[in-house]
Amino acid sequence: MKATLPTPHLRSFPSPTPLSFKLSFAFPETRRKSLSISSTPKGTPSPSLAYVPLRVTASSQAASAPTVNLTAIPTEMKAWVYGEYGGVDVLKLDEKVSVPEVKEDEVLIKVAAAALNPVDAKRRQGKFKATDSPLPTVPGYDVAGVVVKVGSQVKELKEGDEVYGNINEKALEGPRQFGSLAQYTTVEEKLLALKPKNLDFAQAAGLPLAIETAYEGLERTGFSSGKSILVLNGSGGVGSLVIQLAKQVFGASKVAATSSTGKLELLKSLGVDLAIDYIKENFEDLPEKFDVVFDAIGQCDRAVKAVKEGGSVVALTGAVTPPGFRFVVTSKGEVLKKLNPYLESGKVKPVVDPRGPFPFTQVDEAFSYIETNRATGKVVIHPIP
């Protein structure tokens, strides 16, 4: 029988010195410069999960890693599980799930935070059950936490390391039966990187799958310095990172992006040169065309009208219209390691949805929220006890 879940709540943060932006990025528990978005106080009406006006603030507080007894790994753990495909109601919090065994090339992680992605919901709904792992399933791709045990062939990581990563090398081909929405999870060493020192676990957990998707998509288009790009759904988990990588890592000459009216200032703070309100403008009608269009919302039929002749269109979801193409991301710890300097310098920043982080007891509510397709940045689960 499922326990009664507590009412969702927002974290409160100290009131720091404002920065020279108009959006609010609150930084709990560590010294950093990152994008965690503040939201409306409890009790404020929010019709249809409407986006809230934001402001930018910063604070400096030291983060401490979760206390982990490296010698006392339990045999059972709490984990979210589903034994059949379906809606959010198939998710159950099970307190007696076996802690997975560590293979020789894997590490066991005490999970501190996890994050949800659209693929988590599609997997639970049975959208790719032909290539899924056997049921019952502990869902979850993104993880951040502490290594508590290493396999015999692990070369670099050691017990006590703070790491993050996407635990499924191939998102749709045999993803792990035991995912990250649990107190412990196992993962191959090659899929992990050390957590950026300036980010807390909640921020780091929201990055892996989205930033790997953004990076691989840009690479597949041959994106390079001096090229222009249009990002559809620039305020989403992947879109917000495509913007930053295109600008800060690949050297884009111009970045345009779409969002709703309330999120335009967020786009500008991320480095967007042309912020397009999709409620008021049709991006395909603009006279300017782009070298690359990165469609992170499912509008490929319109995206192909905004690309230059000979350009590329990446379509992450929905029907693909030529010359658009789709790919499924491959998880690589090497990509995270390559991008860590940009994260640690603050040039690339995680964006955490203002309704979170959701506590571990409210994973089902977090799933319901991400399935509204109204999330800003990433939906994060933290803390995981």
Side-chain angles (χ1 to χ4, degrees):
M1 187 174 183
K2 187 174 178 181
T4 302
L5 300 177
T7 303
H9 65 279
L10 296 174
R11 295 191 299 178
S12 60
F13 303 102
S15 298
T17 305
L19 300 176
S20 57
F21 294 92
K22 296 180 181 178
L23 303 175
S24 178
F25 308 133
F27 314 123
E29 307 170 308
T30 190
R31 299 181 189 279
R32 62 191 179 274
K33 296 177 181 177
S34 102
L35 302 181
S36 179
I37 307 172
S38 66
S39 183
T40 310
K42 264 187 176 180
T44 303
S46 182
S48 303
L49 300 176
Y51 193 67
V52 203
L54 307 171
R55 62 188 178 84
V56 173
T57 57
S59 65
S60 293
Q61 291 181 305
S64 57
T67 302
V68 177
N69 185 340
L70 300 180
T71 61
I73 300 170
T75 58
E76 293 182 332
M77 63 180 181
K78 295 179 182 179
W80 283 86
V81 182
Y82 55 87
E84 60 181 318
Y85 294 115
V88 172
D89 59 308
V90 301
L91 287 161
K92 309 296 178 188
L93 181 55
D94 191 332
E95 297 190 1
K96 292 189 176 297
V97 176
S98 296
V99 173
E101 293 292 325
V102 180
K103 296 178 182 178
E104 60 183 16
D105 61 344
E106 295 178 342
V107 300
L108 179 68
I109 297 174
K110 172 62 188 76
V111 181
L116 297 186
N117 296 278
V119 69
D120 288 295
K122 292 176 182 178
R123 181 186 181 192
R124 192 205 67 234
Q125 292 161 359
K127 296 287 180 67
F128 53 95
K129 56 183 164 185
T131 57
D132 200 0
S133 55
L135 295 170
T137 297
V138 175
Y141 285 66
D142 288 328
V143 69
V146 179
V147 174
V148 294
K149 188 176 181 180
V150 299
S152 60
Q153 299 301 313
V154 170
K155 296 179 175 62
E156 296 180 10
L157 295 177
K158 61 185 183 303
E159 293 179 2
D161 281 345
E162 298 180 0
V163 295
Y164 75 128
N166 166 11
I167 70 172
N168 292 308
E169 184 172 12
K170 298 291 185 181
L172 307 183
E173 299 173 22
R176 286 177 175 268
Q177 186 175 11
F178 293 95
S180 60
L181 291 170
Q183 291 179 304
Y184 292 87
T185 194
T186 53
V187 57
E188 295 162 85
E189 180 186 31
K190 68 180 181 178
L191 306 184
L192 295 171
L194 293 176
K195 179 179 71 66
K197 297 179 180 66
N198 60 320
L199 302 184
D200 65 19
F201 287 101
Q203 293 169 312
L207 285 167
L209 190 148
I211 205 168
E212 289 170 344
T213 301
Y215 184 83
E216 185 174 339
L218 288 167
E219 279 210 318
R220 283 174 175 266
T221 68
F223 198 76
S224 58
S225 178
K227 290 187 176 182
S228 62
I229 187 170
L230 169 63
V231 184
L232 306 186
N233 190 24
S235 60
V238 173
S240 61
L241 290 163
V242 173
I243 290 167
Q244 296 180 80
L245 296 186
K247 196 86 168 183
Q248 301 294 338
V249 179
F250 288 83
S253 60
K254 185 169 186 177
V255 177
T258 65
S259 77
S260 59
T261 309
K263 302 180 184 181
L264 295 176
E265 289 300 319
L266 171 61
L267 297 187
K268 294 173 185 177
S269 76
L270 295 174
V272 167
D273 303 296
L274 176 62
I276 303 166
D277 186 341
Y278 70 75
I279 296 172
K280 298 177 181 178
E281 293 184 87
N282 292 321
F283 63 83
E284 67 269 34
D285 294 337
L286 294 172
E288 183 176 5
K289 304 305 176 185
F290 301 87
D291 294 303
V292 170
V293 180
F294 203 118
D295 175 18
I297 195 65
Q299 298 176 336
C300 190
D301 56 331
R302 298 171 60 193
V304 296
K305 299 176 183 178
V307 71
K308 291 179 180 178
E309 186 175 350
S312 298
V313 177
V314 184
L316 294 186
T317 186
V320 178
T321 303
F325 70 91
R326 174 174 297 145
F327 72 97
V328 178
V329 66
T330 299
S331 175
K332 295 178 181 177
E334 291 303 316
V335 170
L336 300 179
K337 292 174 185 177
K338 181 175 183 177
L339 296 176
N340 268 0
Y342 296 93
L343 292 161
E344 292 185 334
S345 68
K347 290 181 178 180
V348 177
K349 307 171 179 70
V351 182
V352 177
D353 186 273
R355 288 180 174 265
F358 287 77
F360 188 57
T361 52
Q362 295 174 14
V363 165
D364 50 354
E365 296 184 29
F367 264 100
S368 294
Y369 177 51
I370 198 172
E371 289 174 47
T372 66
N373 296 319
R374 294 180 180 272
T376 301
K378 290 304 296 290
V379 175
V380 173
I381 310 300
H382 176 78
I384 297 179

mmCIF file of all heavy atoms in Angstrom, residues 9 30 62 64 69 83 101 105 110 116 120 133 149 160 169 175 189 206 224 233 344 347 355 365 373 378 380:
data_model
loop_
_atom_site.group_PDB
_atom_site.id
_atom_site.type_symbol
_atom_site.label_atom_id
_atom_site.label_comp_id
_atom_site.label_asym_id
_atom_site.label_seq_id
_atom_site.Cartn_x
_atom_site.Cartn_y
_atom_site.Cartn_z
ATOM 1 N N HIS A 9 6.842 21.132 -1.795
ATOM 2 C CA HIS A 9 7.279 22.402 -1.232
ATOM 3 C C HIS A 9 8.482 22.900 -2.013
ATOM 4 O O HIS A 9 9.170 22.151 -2.677
ATOM 5 C CB HIS A 9 7.655 22.249 0.246
ATOM 6 C CG HIS A 9 8.831 21.374 0.481
ATOM 7 N ND1 HIS A 9 8.726 19.980 0.502
ATOM 8 C CD2 HIS A 9 10.134 21.674 0.664
ATOM 9 C CE1 HIS A 9 9.922 19.472 0.719
ATOM 10 N NE2 HIS A 9 10.802 20.470 0.801
ATOM 11 N N THR A 30 26.655 25.534 -1.882
ATOM 12 C CA THR A 30 28.007 25.473 -2.413
ATOM 13 C C THR A 30 28.444 26.813 -2.956
ATOM 14 O O THR A 30 27.632 27.684 -3.183
ATOM 15 C CB THR A 30 28.100 24.407 -3.531
ATOM 16 O OG1 THR A 30 29.459 24.217 -3.845
ATOM 17 C CG2 THR A 30 27.360 24.812 -4.771
ATOM 18 N N ALA A 62 29.132 26.965 1.617
ATOM 19 C CA ALA A 62 29.897 25.749 1.384
ATOM 20 C C ALA A 62 28.982 24.544 1.381
ATOM 21 O O ALA A 62 28.109 24.409 2.220
ATOM 22 C CB ALA A 62 30.960 25.593 2.463
ATOM 23 N N SER A 64 28.401 20.435 1.629
ATOM 24 C CA SER A 64 29.025 19.260 2.223
ATOM 25 C C SER A 64 28.441 18.023 1.578
ATOM 26 O O SER A 64 27.256 17.964 1.294
ATOM 27 C CB SER A 64 28.786 19.230 3.740
ATOM 28 O OG SER A 64 27.414 19.269 4.020
ATOM 29 N N ASN A 69 28.869 5.924 5.020
ATOM 30 C CA ASN A 69 29.723 4.934 5.666
ATOM 31 C C ASN A 69 30.117 3.915 4.608
ATOM 32 O O ASN A 69 29.320 3.081 4.187
ATOM 33 C CB ASN A 69 28.954 4.255 6.812
ATOM 34 C CG ASN A 69 29.835 3.312 7.601
ATOM 35 O OD1 ASN A 69 30.888 2.872 7.130
ATOM 36 N ND2 ASN A 69 29.414 2.983 8.817
ATOM 37 N N GLY A 83 6.105 -2.403 -11.968
ATOM 38 C CA GLY A 83 6.093 -3.791 -12.420
ATOM 39 C C GLY A 83 5.278 -3.993 -13.675
ATOM 40 O O GLY A 83 5.179 -5.111 -14.186
ATOM 41 N N GLU A 101 24.303 -5.734 -7.439
ATOM 42 C CA GLU A 101 25.680 -6.219 -7.346
ATOM 43 C C GLU A 101 26.579 -5.421 -8.297
ATOM 44 O O GLU A 101 26.159 -5.024 -9.380
ATOM 45 C CB GLU A 101 25.748 -7.701 -7.701
ATOM 46 C CG GLU A 101 25.052 -8.617 -6.694
ATOM 47 C CD GLU A 101 25.763 -8.656 -5.356
ATOM 48 O OE1 GLU A 101 27.018 -8.580 -5.347
ATOM 49 O OE2 GLU A 101 25.072 -8.746 -4.328
ATOM 50 N N ASP A 105 33.635 -3.831 -13.991
ATOM 51 C CA ASP A 105 33.913 -2.524 -14.594
ATOM 52 C C ASP A 105 32.985 -1.429 -14.080
ATOM 53 O O ASP A 105 32.897 -0.350 -14.663
ATOM 54 C CB ASP A 105 33.807 -2.605 -16.121
ATOM 55 C CG ASP A 105 32.408 -3.017 -16.591
ATOM 56 O OD1 ASP A 105 31.611 -3.526 -15.766
ATOM 57 O OD2 ASP A 105 32.109 -2.809 -17.784
ATOM 58 N N LYS A 110 26.212 5.690 -3.888
ATOM 59 C CA LYS A 110 25.167 6.135 -2.956
ATOM 60 C C LYS A 110 24.572 7.385 -3.593
ATOM 61 O O LYS A 110 25.219 8.414 -3.714
ATOM 62 C CB LYS A 110 25.747 6.463 -1.581
ATOM 63 C CG LYS A 110 24.734 7.121 -0.624
ATOM 64 C CD LYS A 110 23.566 6.194 -0.335
ATOM 65 C CE LYS A 110 22.454 6.896 0.447
ATOM 66 N NZ LYS A 110 21.642 7.794 -0.386
ATOM 67 N N LEU A 116 14.791 13.703 -13.790
ATOM 68 C CA LEU A 116 13.895 13.069 -14.749
ATOM 69 C C LEU A 116 14.116 13.646 -16.140
ATOM 70 O O LEU A 116 14.479 14.811 -16.298
ATOM 71 C CB LEU A 116 12.440 13.283 -14.345
ATOM 72 C CG LEU A 116 11.997 12.682 -13.009
ATOM 73 C CD1 LEU A 116 10.485 12.866 -12.834
ATOM 74 C CD2 LEU A 116 12.370 11.219 -12.901
ATOM 75 N N ASP A 120 12.326 8.995 -19.531
ATOM 76 C CA ASP A 120 11.884 8.220 -18.370
ATOM 77 C C ASP A 120 10.386 7.949 -18.440
ATOM 78 O O ASP A 120 9.924 6.842 -18.151
ATOM 79 C CB ASP A 120 12.200 8.973 -17.076
ATOM 80 C CG ASP A 120 13.683 8.993 -16.743
ATOM 81 O OD1 ASP A 120 14.241 7.921 -16.489
ATOM 82 O OD2 ASP A 120 14.279 10.084 -16.728
ATOM 83 N N SER A 133 14.759 -3.299 -20.750
ATOM 84 C CA SER A 133 15.179 -4.362 -19.837
ATOM 85 C C SER A 133 13.934 -4.992 -19.219
ATOM 86 O O SER A 133 12.839 -4.425 -19.281
ATOM 87 C CB SER A 133 16.085 -3.782 -18.753
ATOM 88 O OG SER A 133 15.434 -2.709 -18.090
ATOM 89 N N LYS A 149 31.692 1.721 -3.614
ATOM 90 C CA LYS A 149 32.335 0.439 -3.884
ATOM 91 C C LYS A 149 32.780 0.424 -5.338
ATOM 92 O O LYS A 149 32.085 0.960 -6.207
ATOM 93 C CB LYS A 149 31.352 -0.721 -3.621
ATOM 94 C CG LYS A 149 31.978 -2.107 -3.690
ATOM 95 C CD LYS A 149 30.939 -3.177 -3.311
ATOM 96 C CE LYS A 149 31.543 -4.577 -3.349
ATOM 97 N NZ LYS A 149 30.544 -5.606 -2.976
ATOM 98 N N GLY A 160 34.539 7.180 -2.185
ATOM 99 C CA GLY A 160 34.526 8.544 -1.686
ATOM 100 C C GLY A 160 34.470 9.610 -2.768
ATOM 101 O O GLY A 160 34.194 10.776 -2.481
ATOM 102 N N GLU A 169 24.248 3.686 -21.264
ATOM 103 C CA GLU A 169 25.064 4.038 -22.431
ATOM 104 C C GLU A 169 24.191 4.275 -23.658
ATOM 105 O O GLU A 169 24.382 5.235 -24.402
ATOM 106 C CB GLU A 169 26.092 2.945 -22.700
ATOM 107 C CG GLU A 169 27.040 3.299 -23.830
ATOM 108 C CD GLU A 169 28.178 2.306 -23.987
ATOM 109 O OE1 GLU A 169 28.127 1.222 -23.369
ATOM 110 O OE2 GLU A 169 29.124 2.619 -24.743
ATOM 111 N N PRO A 175 18.250 -0.372 -21.486
ATOM 112 C CA PRO A 175 18.642 0.447 -20.337
ATOM 113 C C PRO A 175 18.585 -0.378 -19.055
ATOM 114 O O PRO A 175 17.886 -1.389 -18.978
ATOM 115 C CB PRO A 175 17.608 1.576 -20.323
ATOM 116 C CG PRO A 175 16.435 1.024 -21.067
ATOM 117 C CD PRO A 175 17.002 0.097 -22.097
ATOM 118 N N GLU A 189 32.146 2.583 -15.068
ATOM 119 C CA GLU A 189 33.049 3.708 -14.818
ATOM 120 C C GLU A 189 33.128 4.644 -16.017
ATOM 121 O O GLU A 189 33.184 5.868 -15.864
ATOM 122 C CB GLU A 189 34.447 3.190 -14.477
ATOM 123 C CG GLU A 189 35.450 4.299 -14.194
ATOM 124 C CD GLU A 189 36.861 3.773 -13.989
ATOM 125 O OE1 GLU A 189 37.214 2.743 -14.595
ATOM 126 O OE2 GLU A 189 37.623 4.399 -13.223
ATOM 127 N N GLY A 206 21.071 17.115 -12.761
ATOM 128 C CA GLY A 206 20.253 17.552 -13.880
ATOM 129 C C GLY A 206 20.983 17.672 -15.198
ATOM 130 O O GLY A 206 20.362 17.934 -16.225
ATOM 131 N N SER A 224 30.179 24.663 -35.823
ATOM 132 C CA SER A 224 31.512 25.189 -35.555
ATOM 133 C C SER A 224 31.471 26.700 -35.432
ATOM 134 O O SER A 224 30.429 27.342 -35.671
ATOM 135 C CB SER A 224 32.482 24.778 -36.669
ATOM 136 O OG SER A 224 32.024 25.252 -37.923
ATOM 137 N N ASN A 233 12.394 25.582 -28.178
ATOM 138 C CA ASN A 233 12.244 25.267 -26.755
ATOM 139 C C ASN A 233 13.563 25.499 -26.022
ATOM 140 O O ASN A 233 14.111 24.612 -25.371
ATOM 141 C CB ASN A 233 11.740 23.851 -26.523
ATOM 142 C CG ASN A 233 11.356 23.606 -25.061
ATOM 143 O OD1 ASN A 233 11.044 24.548 -24.325
ATOM 144 N ND2 ASN A 233 11.374 22.363 -24.640
ATOM 145 N N GLU A 344 32.780 24.450 -14.401
ATOM 146 C CA GLU A 344 33.474 24.947 -13.212
ATOM 147 C C GLU A 344 33.834 26.424 -13.340
ATOM 148 O O GLU A 344 33.950 27.131 -12.337
ATOM 149 C CB GLU A 344 34.710 24.093 -12.930
ATOM 150 C CG GLU A 344 34.344 22.673 -12.501
ATOM 151 C CD GLU A 344 35.535 21.827 -12.105
ATOM 152 O OE1 GLU A 344 36.651 22.111 -12.589
ATOM 153 O OE2 GLU A 344 35.355 20.878 -11.320
ATOM 154 N N LYS A 347 30.897 29.288 -17.261
ATOM 155 C CA LYS A 347 30.504 29.641 -18.626
ATOM 156 C C LYS A 347 29.258 28.879 -19.062
ATOM 157 O O LYS A 347 28.455 29.374 -19.852
ATOM 158 C CB LYS A 347 31.659 29.364 -19.589
ATOM 159 C CG LYS A 347 32.830 30.321 -19.433
ATOM 160 C CD LYS A 347 33.929 30.014 -20.441
ATOM 161 C CE LYS A 347 35.070 31.008 -20.320
ATOM 162 N NZ LYS A 347 36.163 30.721 -21.292
ATOM 163 N N ARG A 355 10.084 24.480 -9.564
ATOM 164 C CA ARG A 355 9.176 23.691 -8.722
ATOM 165 C C ARG A 355 9.927 22.622 -7.944
ATOM 166 O O ARG A 355 9.354 21.955 -7.096
ATOM 167 C CB ARG A 355 8.079 23.061 -9.563
ATOM 168 C CG ARG A 355 7.074 24.096 -10.044
ATOM 169 C CD ARG A 355 5.978 23.447 -10.882
ATOM 170 N NE ARG A 355 4.972 24.443 -11.185
ATOM 171 C CZ ARG A 355 3.856 24.627 -10.482
ATOM 172 N NH1 ARG A 355 3.616 23.866 -9.424
ATOM 173 N NH2 ARG A 355 2.988 25.569 -10.813
ATOM 174 N N GLU A 365 4.940 12.605 -8.226
ATOM 175 C CA GLU A 365 4.478 13.950 -8.536
ATOM 176 C C GLU A 365 5.425 14.645 -9.518
ATOM 177 O O GLU A 365 4.997 15.410 -10.388
ATOM 178 C CB GLU A 365 4.342 14.763 -7.252
ATOM 179 C CG GLU A 365 3.280 14.203 -6.320
ATOM 180 C CD GLU A 365 3.075 15.059 -5.078
ATOM 181 O OE1 GLU A 365 3.298 16.278 -5.160
ATOM 182 O OE2 GLU A 365 2.684 14.491 -4.041
ATOM 183 N N ASN A 373 4.970 18.914 -19.915
ATOM 184 C CA ASN A 373 5.819 19.588 -20.906
ATOM 185 C C ASN A 373 5.956 21.080 -20.639
ATOM 186 O O ASN A 373 6.183 21.868 -21.553
ATOM 187 C CB ASN A 373 5.288 19.359 -22.332
ATOM 188 C CG ASN A 373 5.344 17.905 -22.749
ATOM 189 O OD1 ASN A 373 6.320 17.218 -22.458
ATOM 190 N ND2 ASN A 373 4.296 17.430 -23.396
ATOM 191 N N LYS A 378 15.682 21.467 -15.836
ATOM 192 C CA LYS A 378 15.557 20.066 -15.435
ATOM 193 C C LYS A 378 14.753 19.893 -14.151
ATOM 194 O O LYS A 378 14.817 20.676 -13.226
ATOM 195 C CB LYS A 378 16.956 19.466 -15.231
ATOM 196 C CG LYS A 378 17.736 19.284 -16.513
ATOM 197 C CD LYS A 378 17.002 18.431 -17.552
ATOM 198 C CE LYS A 378 16.803 17.017 -17.077
ATOM 199 N NZ LYS A 378 18.041 16.230 -17.015
ATOM 200 N N VAL A 380 14.485 17.881 -10.925
ATOM 201 C CA VAL A 380 15.492 17.184 -10.121
ATOM 202 C C VAL A 380 14.855 16.573 -8.873
ATOM 203 O O VAL A 380 13.929 17.151 -8.290
ATOM 204 C CB VAL A 380 16.628 18.160 -9.725
ATOM 205 C CG1 VAL A 380 17.594 17.522 -8.759
ATOM 206 C CG2 VAL A 380 17.359 18.640 -10.987
#
